Amino acid sequence: MEGAWRKAKKALGAGLCVHLPAVAGDREDVASERRASDAALSMDSSAAALVSAPNTTPTALTAAAESGALRRSKSGGKSSKKMCAICFDSMKPGHGQALFTAECSHMFHFHCISSSVKHGNHVCPVCRAKWKEIPFNRSLSSIVPRGRGGLHANQARLPQQDTYMALLRQVPNRQREAPAMHTSEPVDFNDDEPLQKMEASDNCGIGSSRTVEIKTFPELSAIPQSSSQDDFSILVHLKAPYANPEQITGRPVNATSTGYSTTRAPVDLVTVLDVSGSMAGTKLALLKRAMGFVIQHLGPSDRLSVIAFSSTARRLFHLRRMSHSGRQQALQAVNSLGASGGTNIADALKKAAKVIEDRSYHNPVCSIILLSDGQDTYNIPSNVRGARPDYRSLVPSSILNHTSRLVPVHGFGFGVDHDSDALHSISEASGGTFSFIEDEGVIQDAFAQCIGGLLSVVVQDMKLNVECVHPGVKLRSIKSGSYLSKVYGNGRNGSIDVGHLYADEERDFLLSVSLPHCHDQTTLLKVASAYRDPLTNEGITIQGDEVKILRPKSPTSEPVCMEVDRERNRVRAADAIETARAAAERGALSDAVAVLEDCRRILSESFSSQNGDRLCAALDAELREMQERMANRQRYEASGRAYLLSGLSSHSWQRATARGDSTDSATLVYSYQTPSMVQMLQRSQNQHPSPQGPSQAPQPRFFLAKPQPR
C-alpha cells in the first residue's frame, strides 16, 4: 500500500512547473505561450486511483489519458495526447516539430524529452514509469535504428531536414536505479550569458529622488541642568526609498528588442536545491512548483543558475538571462529533477560560490537561495559530545570573507527534519536570513516573499556614521543586531555597516550615550549615511539633523519617547529569545520558558504597551508561540528550535522571514514585510490558494508607526 501511495503522490506532483507567459522585451516568438495555463497539473479521483494501483499498465494509463482521466486543470478538457506534458504546447505532426513516443505510450516534443533525459531523468514525466530505453541526440547523418515493438520516434519533416533524429539506446541497470547527478561541467564557470544591453538614456533622472530618510529620537526632550546620565538612549531610524509600481511587479518595464528600461536593479540569482532521497514525492513536486513561480517572476535582465545537490552537487545550467527561451530551458531543467542520495550542503555552496566568482559579467544585485530538508551527512560529524559543530565550515571562504556581504545566502529549512542550526549559521555568516517552512505547502509563499525583496533592492553598501558634538557626550554602545557596528575615537564616533536595503524597508538602531551636566541646550550628536544606488551606481550621502535636548533648571514631567520605548521592547524580546534558546540547548526547557515569560511581563508593563502599541502585542504573541513550542523536548526538536532561529534571524536583520503562519495575513506574529514582498505573496497565494480555501490578501504589517519629528 505504501508503494501505491508513493506512486500516486509522484503522479500528482508531475509537471508542477508551468509554461510561462513572456514579458515585453523577449526577443523570441511568444505566440505559443498564450495557450499555456499558469495552473499546475491536476488529477481527478479516477486518475489518482488508476495511477496508485500497483498493477496499472502503460496501456491502461494511455487509455485513461485518452478518456480524459488525466488532464490539465483549466484546459477546457483538452486531451493530454495533443499536448506535451513538459512544455504544455500542442503536438501536431507535420507542423515543424519532432515528436517522441515513449514505451509507456506517452508522447512529448523530442527537444523537451531529450533535455529532460540530458539532466538525468529516466522516468516518464506523466506516469513515472522507468524507461528501459531512452532518447538521445545525434545528427541526421547517423544511422537510424528501426523501431522495436511499441517504442518508436515520431519525426516531423523540418525545413532543410536539419533537426535531430530520435535514436534509442539501452540504459544500464545502475543508471535506472536513480537519476544521475553527474554531467560534464566546465572547469571554470565563466560561461555566463552577457547582460542585457541598457540604453544610456534609461536611467536619466532616476536616483535623484531615491534617497534614504534619516530620523533621530532622543529618549527625553529635556534633562535638568544638574542631571547627568550614563545610559541615555537615542533612536536612529532609517527608511529606504519607496518602490515604484513597476518595480514591485518584479519585471523590467518598457523593454525593447535592443535594450531595456527598468526602474529596478537586475539580479544574479543562484538557487541551491536539495534533491536528496528524502525530497522524493510531494516535497520535490512542491519545490518544482515554487521554482516555476520564481522563474516566472524574473525578468529578461535577471539571470538565474540552479545547483541541485544530494550526495554531490551539479550545476543544471549556466547563469543565464530569464528571457523567453531562458525561462523555458530553466523550467525544463527543474522539471527534470529526481530525488536520490544523501545531503552534501558544503559541496553545493562551493559550486554556487564558484558560479558567482567565475562569472564574466555582473548584475548589480546578487544572492543565493539555499533550500534543504535534511542534515549534511558528509561534512558535519553527528556524534561529537560536548562540541558544537563548526557550521561555518560549510560556507565557502569567498562568501565568509566578503566584508560588504554582497552575496547573502538566504536559507530555507524544509519540513521538520532539516538542520536548522546549520542553515541559520550559514545565513547569519553571509548576511542572509533563515526561514522555517514548517508546512510544506507554503514553500512557494516563502520563495515569493524572498524574491519580492531581492527584486526591490534600492540601497547598497550603506554605512551609517555617528559623531558626538558636545565635548562632554560620549557614545557608549550601539544596539544593531547582526549588523556590524563599532565605537571608536575614545567614544566620540561610531559606525554601522547597514549594507543593502529593499524598497520601503526600515531600520532602527538604539544608541546609548553619556550626558554631562550642562546649563545650555545640549547638541548630543549628528548622524550621516553614505550608500550606493544599485541602479545608477551613484554614490549618495545623506546628512541627518543634529540631536538636541533642552536643559531646564528644574525637572520636568515628560513620558519617554514612544519610538525609543518600542525599539527597547523589540531589542529586549530579541535578547530574551537568544537567552531562551541557549537554555533550551543545554536541556533546561523550563528555564527557557521562564525567560520568555519574564520578558512578556516586562513588555506588558512598558509605556508603549500601556498605550496600546501593536508592536508589543505582536511581540507578546511571538513569545507565547515560542513558549508553546518548548512544552517538551520532542516538540522543541521537531519545530521549536527552527522557529526560534527563524525569529532570531528576522529580528537581528530586521527583515521578514517565513516561519509558522508568518505568511498568513491573519497572523499576529511580528513581521518586517515590505509592500514588494506583500504583492509577491499575494500573487503566489492567488495562483495556488491554500487547501483551507482562499484567504484575505496579505497586507503589509508595519507595527512601528512612522515616527514623527519631535
Side-chain angles (χ1 to χ4, degrees):
M1 178 60 72
E2 181 180 358
W5 277 112
R6 288 176 62 85
K7 289 182 180 179
K9 287 165 67 179
K10 288 182 178 180
L12 284 167
L16 283 175
C17 281
V18 297
H19 195 66
L20 303 170
V23 296
D26 290 339
R27 303 178 66 176
E28 297 80 8
D29 180 21
V30 297
S32 63
E33 280 285 27
R34 299 172 184 172
R35 298 189 297 269
S37 169
D38 67 349
L41 287 178
S42 64
M43 301 180 68
D44 60 20
S45 58
S46 61
L50 180 64
V51 174
S52 64
N55 298 323
T56 299
T57 64
T59 304
L61 284 171
T62 304
E66 293 175 345
S67 65
L70 296 173
R71 58 180 180 267
R72 287 176 56 197
S73 61
K74 301 182 182 180
S75 64
K78 292 183 179 180
S79 171
S80 61
K81 271 286 189 179
K82 299 179 181 179
M83 191 171 297
C84 176
I86 296 179
C87 72
F88 294 169
D89 270 348
S90 63
M91 298 185 294
K92 297 180 180 179
H95 285 248
Q97 296 174 323
L99 305 180
F100 174 78
T101 302
E103 56 196 282
C104 58
S105 300
H106 289 116
M107 186 181 296
F108 312 93
H109 289 126
F110 180 73
H111 67 87
C112 291
I113 199 63
S114 61
S115 175
S116 179
V117 170
K118 177 183 176 182
H119 288 89
N121 193 16
H122 302 149
V123 297
C124 175
V126 175
C127 66
R128 313 304 292 175
K130 292 184 179 179
W131 289 340
K132 296 179 180 179
E133 299 181 354
I134 60 173
F136 71 104
N137 296 333
R138 278 193 188 175
S139 64
L140 278 172
S141 60
S142 302
I143 299 175
V144 183
R146 303 179 181 222
R148 302 188 308 176
L151 184 62
H152 60 279
N154 291 338
Q155 166 128 12
R157 184 174 295 276
L158 298 181
Q160 302 177 359
Q161 294 293 317
D162 58 353
T163 188
Y164 290 119
M165 294 290 288
L167 301 180
L168 311 172
R169 66 179 173 86
Q170 286 291 122
V171 183
N173 290 334
R174 59 183 177 85
Q175 291 186 1
R176 292 201 299 266
E177 295 293 330
M181 283 299 291
H182 293 284
T183 57
S184 58
E185 291 180 342
V187 176
D188 297 317
F189 289 165
N190 57 0
D191 55 352
D192 53 310
E193 185 174 359
L195 306 180
Q196 190 172 14
K197 180 182 177 182
M198 178 182 287
E199 296 174 359
S201 60
D202 285 344
N203 288 331
C204 293
I206 297 177
S208 58
S209 61
R210 300 163 60 91
T211 56
V212 173
E213 296 180 10
I214 303 179
K215 295 180 180 179
T216 52
F217 303 89
E219 177 182 353
L220 298 169
S221 62
I223 298 291
Q225 296 178 359
S226 58
S227 298
S228 64
Q229 291 196 17
D230 292 330
D231 188 17
F232 186 81
S233 296
I234 301 173
L235 173 68
V236 179
H237 177 82
L238 307 177
K239 184 172 183 180
Y242 65 88
N244 295 320
E246 296 88 353
Q247 181 174 330
I248 297 179
T249 64
R251 292 285 183 82
V253 295
N254 299 331
T256 66
S257 59
T258 58
Y260 73 90
S261 174
T262 179
T263 57
R264 68 168 177 84
V267 177
D268 282 346
L269 177 63
V270 181
T271 57
V272 183
L273 310 177
D274 187 343
V275 291
S276 58
S278 57
M279 286 289 294
T282 304
K283 280 186 178 180
L284 186 60
L286 292 171
L287 173 59
K288 290 179 180 181
R289 188 184 76 179
M291 278 302 301
F293 181 87
V294 172
I295 294 169
Q296 177 184 4
H297 288 84
L298 294 177
S301 58
D302 301 311
R303 300 191 300 174
L304 173 70
S305 181
V306 177
I307 307 295
F309 73 95
S310 56
S311 300
T312 57
R314 64 184 173 102
R315 186 185 67 163
L316 295 188
F317 53 88
H318 63 276
L319 194 63
R320 64 173 302 155
R321 292 194 300 108
M322 288 295 99
S323 59
H324 177 66
S325 62
R327 291 197 303 273
Q328 294 307 314
Q329 293 188 24
L331 281 175
Q332 289 181 3
V334 171
N335 265 324
S336 71
L337 289 173
S340 66
T343 305
N344 193 334
I345 296 176
D347 190 37
L349 286 178
K350 188 181 301 182
K351 192 146 294 186
K354 184 173 176 60
V355 169
I356 293 171
E357 292 169 15
D358 293 355
R359 56 188 170 149
S360 301
Y361 310 92
H362 296 76
N363 264 329
V365 180
C366 183
S367 186
I368 296 174
I369 287 179
L370 167 65
L371 178 134
S372 177
D373 76 329
Q375 304 187 17
D376 191 303
T377 53
Y378 292 85
N379 303 279
I380 299 298
S382 57
N383 294 316
V384 181
R385 290 188 176 182
R388 188 175 184 272
D390 181 19
Y391 293 116
R392 288 174 63 91
S393 64
L394 299 175
V395 187
S397 57
S398 59
I399 295 179
L400 280 177
N401 298 333
H402 214 305
T403 55
S404 57
R405 285 174 166 167
L406 288 180
V407 190
V409 178
H410 296 286
F412 292 82
F414 196 24
V416 298
D417 296 323
H418 72 277
D419 190 340
S420 56
D421 275 324
L423 294 177
H424 176 262
S425 297
I426 292 169
S427 299
E428 187 73 13
S430 64
T433 56
F434 166 63
S435 292
F436 171 34
I437 307 175
E438 184 175 13
D439 179 0
E440 297 171 357
V442 302
I443 179 175
Q444 180 172 300
D445 292 345
F447 276 16
Q449 179 173 271
C450 183
I451 65 169
L454 294 177
L455 297 181
S456 66
V457 174
V458 293
V459 170
Q460 283 185 326
D461 300 331
M462 184 176 188
K463 188 169 186 177
L464 189 70
N465 294 300
V466 179
E467 179 183 353
C468 295
V469 177
H470 190 281
V473 175
K474 286 192 176 183
L475 183 61
R476 297 177 59 86
S477 66
I478 302 175
K479 295 285 188 181
S480 59
S482 291
Y483 294 99
L484 181 64
S485 64
K486 62 180 179 179
V487 177
Y488 58 95
N490 195 27
R492 297 290 296 167
N493 300 89
S495 65
I496 306 172
D497 292 331
V498 181
H500 67 278
L501 293 176
Y502 302 152
D504 297 286
E505 266 195 324
E506 301 181 43
R507 294 291 181 269
D508 290 299
F509 302 110
L510 202 58
L511 313 180
S512 175
V513 300
S514 59
L515 300 181
H517 301 281
C518 187
H519 295 286
D520 302 315
Q521 183 184 55
T522 306
T523 301
L524 305 181
L525 49 82
K526 56 184 179 180
V527 180
S529 74
Y531 64 92
R532 181 169 52 85
D533 187 319
L535 186 59
T536 64
N537 205 31
E538 174 189 3
I540 300 175
T541 301
I542 304 294
Q543 185 71 48
D545 295 333
E546 293 181 337
V547 181
K548 300 178 180 181
I549 59 172
L550 301 175
R551 305 304 296 263
K553 293 182 179 180
S554 58
T556 59
S557 176
E558 178 188 5
V560 66
C561 173
M562 178 73 81
E563 287 77 13
V564 172
D565 196 58
R566 284 196 189 108
E567 180 61 10
R568 278 178 177 167
N569 286 337
R570 193 191 65 81
V571 172
R572 183 178 289 116
D575 290 343
I577 295 172
E578 179 62 53
T579 303
R581 179 200 168 219
E585 291 302 322
R586 65 174 183 266
L589 286 176
S590 58
D591 291 347
V593 172
V595 168
L596 298 180
E597 184 64 30
D598 188 54
C599 181
R600 291 178 61 192
R601 178 186 55 79
I602 295 175
L603 292 181
S604 67
E605 297 172 354
S606 66
F607 173 74
S608 54
S609 177
Q610 296 292 332
N611 285 270
D613 179 49
R614 290 185 296 168
L615 171 61
C616 283
L619 293 174
D620 182 76
E622 181 180 7
L623 297 177
R624 183 173 63 251
E625 175 71 18
M626 292 179 177
Q627 286 179 307
E628 293 175 359
R629 291 175 184 262
M630 289 180 166
N632 53 64
R633 174 56 55 177
Q634 182 179 4
R635 186 165 187 195
Y636 177 74
E637 295 286 348
S639 67
R641 178 186 290 112
Y643 190 90
L644 261 70
L645 288 174
S646 184
L648 280 175
S649 178
S650 183
H651 287 303
S652 65
W653 295 111
Q654 299 184 53
R655 179 161 284 164
T657 62
R659 52 196 165 109
D661 62 352
S662 64
T663 58
D664 186 347
S665 61
T667 184
L668 294 177
V669 174
Y670 183 78
S671 174
Y672 298 90
Q673 288 174 348
T674 66
S676 302
M677 294 178 179
V678 169
Q679 182 157 349
M680 200 65 76
L681 259 175
Q682 183 176 351
R683 291 182 177 187
S684 172
Q685 294 173 355
N686 288 342
Q687 186 181 81
H688 296 287
S690 63
Q692 289 78 12
S695 59
Q696 182 182 358
Q699 301 295 324
R701 299 188 292 279
F702 300 115
F703 292 111
L704 287 171
K706 294 181 179 178
Q708 301 297 324
R710 295 174 63 87

